[in-house]
Amino acid sequence: MAQFLNSKENLVTEAIDGLLSASGGRLARLDGYPHIKVVYRTDWDKSKVALISGGGSGHEPAHTGFVGQGMLTAAVCGEVFASPSVEAVLAGILAVTGEAGCLLIVKNYTGDRLNFGLAAERARALGRRVEMVVVDDDIALPDLPQPRGVAGTLLVHKVAGAAAEAGQDLAAVTAAAKGVISKVKSIGMSLDTCTVPGSPKEDRIAAGKAELGLGIHGEPGVQQVEFSNAATSLMTVLDKIRPHLGTGKHVALMNNLGSTTPLEMSVLTHALTESGLADHIIGPASMMTSLDMHGFSVSVMEASPSEIEALRAPVDMSAWPGLHDVVTVPVTPLPDGLTPIEPIPSKNPKTRQTIERVTELLIAAERPLNELDAKSGDGDTGSTLATAARALQASLDKMPLADLTQLFPALGNELSQTMGGSSGVILAIYFNAAGDACANGAPVPKALVEGLERVSEVGGAQVGDRTMIDALAPALEALPDGIAAAAKAARAGADGTSQIHRAKAGRAAYVPEENLKGHNDPGAEAVALLFEGLTQAMED
């Protein structure tokens, strides 16, 4: 798998220097590359308790992204998924620890515990006051004697960081950290494993499955479960967490494990807020990732008022999304003039049958039209038309089917709301113009032609530009000779678009010519299929 890297050997050091060069001087590093990789605050006041965390790289923005006022004083970085050395941790302790002492916040992995633990012993021997806490928030593996430390560690950073920033002593800062550790619980789910630079990707999770409770280093989880949708996935995770929680106010941290899109994370967050589990939320955001893992994790803790205040305290690093109250979605009425005028329903069995036939044709063509569009666009033409067709079917009982002067504008309004994108707008213009023409006495074929002329005028597309107009214009021109003639003309126009190698309108105008050769325009193909289907229906 191609990645934007230079070399595996310099990956972490180049990434750290990229972060530092863009920090505006807020962060610096010790001169110990490549073995000692320590990032620290340049504004650090050694009269306060220092907070140090770290571990293997590959979890960005953790840990370097949380170095700053109100959180970590320093982060000690290892190679990808590898604990930093004792010398690296010791260098970080010695660099930032003053008389107030230092707290090490360590995730519960053997390498981290040993290296941070020995570094703490050596620092104490050199006269430094050092305490260490171990975060074990992962509940995925209930029989594991040493639960792993995962994204709940970030809540420890924030609460302990607020205490240190406020000038509390080492005992109080340590107690604040332990208080969070005793209550925070985390678990994740992913649809895929991560890609470790320089290593082949492990293909462990089968199609149609999701893995519950896998670790942030890609370790296998507790089980693979059937995947259906975002809501059921989120509920599966919350069902694991609920038995571990108290009855007070809960804070949830919604973490992106790497490559889950912001759109997906927002859908998952909607399910989380609808569950009623959390009173406050942090995220959704990428906070403790596992390289490019396509998954998410949820960390939940029962929080006291002082802990909520600490989590809410502002910090100066962009990686921390802040804590917010969970609220009912605010909804306000549409502005005056935007609420559509509802038409008066009326019945016409023949018109209804025609619309039903057309919509069924578009729904049946969803997949082939998507496949065709994928060759010259973004692969959604079929889905866009099918979605609008289903919505139109559902609204037929509300349509003025007996009066075309009302029906055409009603169709335009419906499609503009349900179709989306430029297609919905184009068809709204088309049907509203056709309705105007009908109201002025034009017969249906003439009204449809006038609608197309208005679309060309507003949208700028003409015959020959490789759009649906290449099929629709000849079809409407032939329509006075019958639906079969219109279908034949539409098919010739649609097939002709395969020979137009340079589109002058629509999304295909941005596609290289070689992608268009030999393929019909999907919009024109949809028009041809529609007329052919109507012809077949009349013959039947």
Side-chain angles (χ1 to χ4, degrees):
M1 176 180 173
Q3 295 175 299
F4 289 108
L5 310 175
N6 296 316
S7 70
K8 178 182 176 182
E9 292 73 23
N10 298 328
L11 167 61
V12 176
T13 55
E14 289 180 354
I16 291 173
D17 282 350
L19 173 71
L20 297 180
S21 62
S23 71
R26 186 176 61 84
L27 304 176
R29 67 171 172 87
L30 298 180
D31 185 12
Y33 276 177
H35 304 299
I36 294 176
K37 297 181 278 290
V38 176
V39 174
Y40 69 95
R41 291 173 56 178
T42 55
D43 65 345
W44 179 236
D45 177 2
K46 286 190 176 181
S47 67
K48 295 181 178 180
V49 174
L51 262 62
I52 301 176
S53 190
S57 297
H59 306 302
E60 289 71 21
H63 301 85
T64 52
F66 299 109
V67 176
Q69 184 177 1
M71 289 189 77
L72 298 179
T73 312
V76 187
C77 305
E79 292 300 309
V80 172
F81 294 171
S83 176
S85 67
V86 174
E87 288 73 20
V89 178
L90 180 60
I93 296 172
L94 297 179
V96 300
T97 304
E99 291 186 5
C102 163
L103 175 64
L104 303 181
I105 301 173
V106 181
K107 294 187 295 303
N108 196 19
Y109 292 93
T110 302
D112 288 348
R113 290 189 69 146
L114 292 176
N115 288 307
F116 277 81
L118 181 53
E121 293 297 329
R122 290 177 59 180
R124 293 184 189 111
L126 294 172
R128 301 304 197 275
R129 295 178 60 208
V130 181
E131 295 289 345
M132 187 173 96
V133 294
V134 178
V135 186
D136 55 358
D137 56 309
D138 187 14
I139 60 166
L141 304 171
D143 298 325
L144 195 66
Q146 295 285 343
R148 300 170 295 198
V150 287
T153 308
L154 301 171
L155 300 175
V156 183
H157 293 170
K158 186 66 178 67
V159 173
E165 197 67 42
Q168 296 184 28
D169 63 19
L170 181 57
V173 173
T174 303
K178 289 181 177 179
V180 175
I181 292 169
S182 69
K183 294 184 291 185
V184 63
K185 306 298 176 185
S186 303
I187 189 169
M189 177 180 283
S190 184
L191 297 174
D192 201 0
T193 56
C194 59
T195 307
V196 179
S199 300
K201 184 179 179 68
E202 183 183 5
D203 189 17
R204 185 177 72 235
I205 305 175
K209 297 282 189 178
E211 191 159 280
L212 179 65
L214 69 179
I216 57 172
H217 305 103
E219 312 99 304
V222 62
Q223 65 181 129
Q224 290 193 14
V225 298
E226 294 294 330
F227 173 74
S228 57
N229 56 41
T232 56
S233 298
L234 197 282
M235 288 304 110
T236 299
V237 165
L238 295 189
D239 286 344
K240 295 289 185 180
I241 290 181
R242 286 183 193 275
H244 299 270
L245 301 178
T247 58
K249 296 288 186 179
H250 291 109
V251 172
L253 183 143
M254 192 65 179
N255 177 53
N256 186 340
L257 286 171
S259 67
T260 310
T261 64
L263 192 64
E264 292 171 281
M265 290 302 299
S266 291
V267 172
L268 289 162
T269 301
H270 172 64
L272 172 61
T273 56
E274 288 288 297
S275 73
L277 179 67
D279 303 284
H280 311 278
I281 191 165
I282 298 165
S286 297
M287 290 174 275
M288 184 171 287
T289 63
S290 181
L291 294 170
D292 61 345
M293 186 178 287
H294 188 181
F296 69 96
S297 69
V298 180
S299 302
V300 184
M301 65 173 283
E302 181 185 359
S304 67
S306 61
E307 288 168 334
I308 291 173
E309 183 180 353
L311 291 168
R312 201 187 295 277
V315 293
D316 63 353
M317 60 289 287
S318 60
W320 181 253
L323 178 138
H324 301 282
D325 297 336
V326 173
V327 298
T328 302
V329 175
V331 179
T332 57
L334 288 171
D336 290 342
L338 285 183
T339 303
I341 299 173
E342 294 294 333
I344 300 173
S346 59
K347 296 181 180 181
N348 185 308
K350 186 176 180 180
T351 300
R352 185 185 184 104
Q353 186 178 20
T354 300
I355 295 175
E356 288 174 341
R357 178 63 180 175
V358 167
T359 54
E360 289 297 336
L361 284 168
L362 294 177
I363 292 169
E366 179 174 5
R367 182 172 179 178
L369 288 176
N370 279 343
E371 291 173 349
L372 183 60
D373 189 32
K375 302 178 187 301
S376 59
D378 54 7
D380 70 346
T381 292
S383 296
T384 299
L385 292 170
T387 298
R390 293 185 184 98
L392 187 54
Q393 286 182 341
S395 65
L396 279 178
D397 289 338
K398 301 182 293 183
M399 287 289 173
L401 300 176
D403 185 350
L404 291 181
T405 62
Q406 293 186 46
L407 177 59
F408 283 147
L411 289 172
N413 290 335
E414 178 70 25
L415 293 173
S416 70
Q417 296 176 60
T418 60
M419 200 165 188
S422 58
S423 300
V425 176
I426 288 171
L427 290 177
I429 293 170
Y430 177 77
F431 281 114
N432 276 287
D436 289 342
C438 273
N440 291 326
V444 171
K446 175 63 175 173
L448 295 176
V449 169
E450 290 193 21
L452 182 58
E453 290 173 352
R454 187 74 59 83
V455 167
S456 294
E457 177 185 332
V458 175
Q462 305 289 332
V463 172
D465 287 351
R466 204 180 195 279
T467 70
M468 70 174 183
I469 291 177
D470 288 292
L472 186 56
L476 295 182
E477 185 178 348
L479 188 57
D481 297 325
I483 192 70
K488 185 176 180 180
R491 171 49 60 194
D495 291 345
T497 60
S498 68
Q499 304 303 314
I500 302 175
H501 300 159
R502 184 175 181 181
K504 298 178 183 178
R507 283 176 297 186
Y510 309 110
V511 176
E513 293 182 22
E514 57 268 21
N515 290 37
L516 305 180
K517 293 179 180 179
H519 304 301
N520 288 7
D521 174 77
E525 179 66 18
V527 171
L529 292 174
L530 187 150
F531 276 98
E532 288 169 346
L534 288 176
T535 301
Q536 184 63 49
M538 292 184 67
E539 292 176 355
D540 293 342

